[in-house]
Amino acid sequence: MGIVKAWNSIGLVPRIVIGLVIGAVLGLLLPSDGTFLPSVITLLGTLFVNALKAIAPLLVFFLVIGALANAQGHGNMGTIIALYLVSTFIAALVAVIGSFIFPITLTLNGVEAADLASPQGIGEVLTTLIANMVANPIDAIVNANFIGVLVWAALIGIAMRRMGDTTKQVVAEVAEALTQVVRWIISCAPFGIMGLVYDAVAKNGPQIFVQYGQLILLLVGCMLFIAFVTNPLLSYIVTRKNPYPLVLRTLKDSAITAFFTRSSAANIPVNMGLCAKLGLNPNNYSVSIPLGATINMAGAAVTITVMAMAAAHTGGIQVDLAAAVILSGLAAISACGASGVPGGSLLLIPMACSLFGIPIDMAMQVVGVGFIIGVIQDSCETALNSSSDVLFTATAEYRDWAKAGREFTMGHDNTPLNEAA
């Protein structure tokens, strides 16, 4: 027990790095010849991927039901919510464009045997999408039809809004229980990553890390483009003022802490304090910041889209422009339901993959790759998500200040006039 406690006392990121290094070293030194030890190491990766594959449909189903059943109206939040949703959709579009410009293929087991067929234009994509939407809900969960899971969960969640608080609380607690199960599985990620990395390196050599590096560069590049180009552009459109002082302030005071905590929820107090320093209305940011930690998920949209496009390129599936736009919308919607645990957005990759008919086994291997690069990807994703919560909360309020003729400076401490008096 002492060893277990000491191991658990180490942060998840260092543990994953340890598993990654051990797996890489074993992959270089120990051939994958089917003997006992290589088979056991490989089995660790298989168990990790299969556990995620088993829990992901249930997690998405109850998270969406619980979120919609317990959602409450919060007055005039229209501008902030619109900014959250539009920025998330734009992030997915940026990721699609980046994936077209820099297509990446992954080395996965069994892809050659999958015999994937490219969708014949937008008509086939829409037909598949609609057919999956109305599939039997139990069948959708069993067969990991994430489109069907999402649609039925949304319908049930909306219907349950009229139920009593006790019933809603039960659903919320089931969703929390499933989230806890995912946390337990992810706590075993170092061993699963060790098995996945060992298998990849033993079979493909150290050049597999070049592939992972290219994937990280694409993901981080898209996120940086959103942080410094598209999000500031949205802020400028709303306020008609130079957005970069505010952008740099949110990156300095919010993104850096979020990068290391890797949790939007854990960064909520930091964002609340920053909003107070900016002189924003606490009645607004006390709602918009926790809400943003749930639905403002541009970084998650990038991850889901890039990984789904990589899976499509790996399977030889040609994605046309119209299908890519649908993927962007689906990624934006699913990103809003990303689990609050580290790597939660990765569990929604199969939902995006299902749009192109990519098998669940292949999709979950892509999820496994996501956990391998998650040391960097998840930190950058959280930093983008959390800092933009403050960016758009401030942007919406600055617009109101400008309409009211109030003098203020973007990104600086702005004490309300009545408080200054």
Side-chain angles (χ1 to χ4, degrees):
M1 290 301 296
I3 296 175
V4 172
K5 289 181 179 179
W7 172 252
N8 288 332
S9 67
I10 304 173
L12 181 61
V13 173
R15 281 185 283 156
I16 288 179
V17 171
I18 292 171
L20 193 155
V21 172
I22 294 175
V25 172
L26 289 176
L28 294 172
L29 301 178
L30 187 65
S32 180
D33 54 8
T35 55
F36 177 74
L37 184 56
S39 298
V40 170
I41 298 172
T42 302
L43 180 62
L44 293 174
T46 302
L47 290 175
F48 178 63
V49 170
N50 286 350
L52 291 174
K53 182 169 69 175
I55 197 65
L58 278 175
L59 178 68
V60 172
F61 187 69
F62 281 98
L63 277 177
V64 173
I65 291 177
L68 290 176
N70 291 284
Q72 301 292 330
H74 293 288
N76 187 20
M77 296 289 295
T79 302
I80 297 174
I81 293 175
L83 285 169
Y84 284 168
L85 298 180
V86 170
S87 67
T88 301
F89 177 72
I90 291 174
L93 278 179
V94 169
V96 165
I97 295 170
S99 296
F100 276 132
I101 297 174
F102 304 104
I104 290 177
T105 58
L106 303 172
T107 302
L108 305 175
N109 293 328
V111 173
E112 299 81 1
D115 193 23
L116 302 179
S118 301
Q120 300 301 309
I122 188 61
E124 184 176 338
V125 172
L126 287 174
T127 300
T128 302
L129 180 64
I130 294 172
N132 287 338
M133 288 170 61
V134 295
N136 181 288
I138 304 300
D139 182 72
I141 293 174
V142 171
N143 294 303
N145 168 13
F146 284 90
I147 304 297
V149 169
L150 180 64
V151 169
W152 286 114
L155 292 174
I156 295 171
I158 292 171
M160 288 191 66
R161 290 176 64 86
R162 297 185 178 183
M163 300 292 104
D165 291 340
T166 302
T167 303
K168 295 178 183 179
Q169 183 64 26
V170 168
V171 175
E173 288 177 355
V174 170
E176 176 57 31
L178 290 171
T179 301
Q180 181 59 51
V181 172
V182 173
R183 291 192 184 102
W184 289 337
I185 295 173
I186 291 177
S187 69
C188 298
F191 303 102
I193 296 303
M194 182 181 69
L196 292 172
V197 171
Y198 165 76
D199 191 54
V201 174
K203 292 180 178 178
N204 303 283
Q207 62 268 24
I208 193 73
F209 289 106
V210 175
Q211 188 181 93
Y212 293 157
Q214 292 172 341
L215 186 58
I216 290 173
L217 286 176
L218 178 57
L219 285 165
V220 175
C222 288
M223 293 179 192
L224 289 174
F225 186 85
I226 292 158
F228 288 101
V229 179
T230 60
N231 279 356
L233 181 59
L234 275 176
S235 181
Y236 172 77
I237 291 172
V238 173
T239 63
R240 299 297 176 179
K241 288 181 175 289
N242 177 14
Y244 284 99
L246 176 60
V247 170
L248 295 177
R249 179 72 183 272
T250 59
L251 291 176
K252 178 175 71 75
D253 290 6
S254 175
I256 292 176
T257 56
F259 181 90
F260 290 104
T261 62
R262 299 174 71 231
S263 170
S264 294
N267 212 47
I268 287 176
V270 175
N271 284 347
M272 292 279 205
L274 177 55
C275 287
K277 292 177 183 177
L278 294 174
L280 305 183
N281 186 345
N283 291 330
N284 289 334
Y285 67 73
S286 64
V287 175
S288 66
I289 295 302
L291 183 65
T294 304
I295 69 170
N296 185 30
M297 292 289 175
V302 169
T303 298
I304 293 167
T305 304
V306 167
M307 300 300 280
M309 289 292 289
H313 290 143
T314 300
I317 297 175
Q318 300 298 319
V319 180
D320 60 25
L321 182 60
V325 173
I326 293 177
L327 172 62
S328 300
L330 180 63
I333 294 171
S334 58
C336 294
S339 172
V341 299
S345 60
L346 299 176
L347 299 182
L348 296 170
I349 291 171
M351 182 186 298
C353 289
S354 66
L355 183 65
F356 306 120
I358 296 172
I360 182 64
D361 289 338
M362 179 177 171
M364 293 312 297
Q365 287 187 61
V366 176
V367 173
V369 173
F371 275 101
I372 292 173
I373 65 172
V375 174
I376 298 175
Q377 166 268 323
D378 195 42
S379 295
C380 294
E381 176 184 313
T382 307
L384 174 61
N385 291 342
S386 191
S387 62
S388 59
D389 293 346
V390 180
L391 173 66
F392 293 130
T393 296
T395 293
E397 189 155 341
Y398 285 164
R399 186 195 67 164
D400 294 339
W401 290 358
K403 287 182 177 180
R406 175 180 167 180
E407 294 294 330
F408 64 94
T409 304
M410 293 277 282
H412 291 263
D413 295 353
N414 293 285
T415 304
L417 297 179
N418 59 345
E419 291 185 13

